Amino acid sequence: MTEKLAVTGADGLARCPWGLEPEEYRVYHDEEWGRPVRGDDALFERISLEAFQSGLSWLTILRRRPGFRAAFAGFEIAAVAKYTEEDAARLLTDPGIIRNRLKIEATLRNARTIADWAPGELTELIWSFAPDATARPTPRSTAEVPATTSESTALARELKRRGIRFVGPTTAYALMQACGLVNDHLADCHARGALAG
């Protein structure tokens, strides 16, 4: 991996290099990535979007996020769990999302699986894999940010054991980064300080 340090934007703020541009990345980086996400529906959305992102750029997902939310009932687990074969067929023709049959089927199956869990169980499960923040070194460059960790591997294994599909160790780690289980903003990034305070 090429080592990249935080980059200062035209607004004078230092950011992780991927969060500088385009605008969608900057807003996502500054306002969402790495901030704690709790709530089963919110985490179901992140799991689903991370699965759809596999093999694609995150920018593609961000630009289609409104379409995903419309297509999947705002990622309300109870609603998506009731989707029928007709709904699945409709989703395959929806230009507002990524029309991948396996990913669509996995999202519907995941909703049905999670709908059978107790309220809050998904949130509790995911957050139980958050590592001790004080034991993690602060990354100074992108080369110091891992793609997987022992925690993401264990989280992926447990989610799979419970019937959740399309969540491997790399996807699980991206989920942990996005949802604030780990803070992988670089040491000189302004967002890292905002999350610490």
Side-chain angles (χ1 to χ4, degrees):
M1 175 187 286
T2 303
E3 181 170 327
K4 294 183 182 177
L5 303 173
V7 180
T8 301
D11 58 5
L13 295 176
R15 291 180 177 83
C16 301
W18 66 266
L20 194 59
E21 57 184 46
E23 178 69 16
E24 294 94 338
Y25 272 158
R26 189 165 44 254
V27 170
Y28 178 69
H29 172 275
D30 289 1
E31 299 176 8
E32 190 171 352
W33 193 75
R35 297 182 186 275
V37 175
R38 293 183 186 269
D40 291 352
D41 289 342
L43 288 167
F44 172 62
E45 175 183 9
R46 297 326 194 291
I47 289 170
S48 301
L49 293 179
E50 292 292 349
F52 274 101
Q53 186 272 330
S54 181
L56 302 169
S57 79
W58 186 244
L59 185 60
T60 299
I61 301 303
L62 285 177
R63 288 180 171 163
R64 294 188 185 197
R65 197 172 189 185
F68 276 110
R69 286 177 168 166
F72 289 99
F75 289 98
E76 182 184 330
I77 296 165
V80 179
K82 295 176 184 171
Y83 277 25
T84 64
E85 290 297 320
E86 290 76 22
D87 290 309
R90 173 182 51 81
L91 291 169
L92 283 169
T93 66
D94 188 334
I97 66 169
I98 306 301
R99 294 171 284 184
N100 178 296
R101 179 181 300 279
L102 293 177
K103 293 176 182 181
I104 289 169
E105 289 174 355
T107 301
L108 301 186
R109 184 177 188 145
N110 290 347
R112 292 180 194 119
T113 298
I114 299 167
D116 288 337
W117 298 359
E121 188 173 349
L122 178 63
T123 301
E124 185 177 325
L125 171 67
I126 289 174
W127 277 90
S128 73
F129 288 89
D132 177 3
T134 62
R136 291 175 49 90
T138 300
R140 299 203 64 75
S141 75
T142 55
E144 297 173 15
V145 178
T148 64
T149 62
S150 59
E151 294 90 356
S152 75
T153 300
L155 173 58
R157 187 181 309 118
E158 182 60 16
L159 287 170
K160 283 182 183 177
R161 188 186 74 76
R162 293 186 181 217
I164 305 302
R165 298 168 67 185
F166 260 97
V167 183
T170 303
T171 300
Y173 193 67
L175 175 73
M176 294 171 79
Q177 291 173 304
C179 296
L181 280 76
V182 295
N183 183 354
D184 276 345
H185 285 284
L186 301 183
D188 294 329
C189 175
H190 80 92
R192 184 172 189 90
L195 288 172

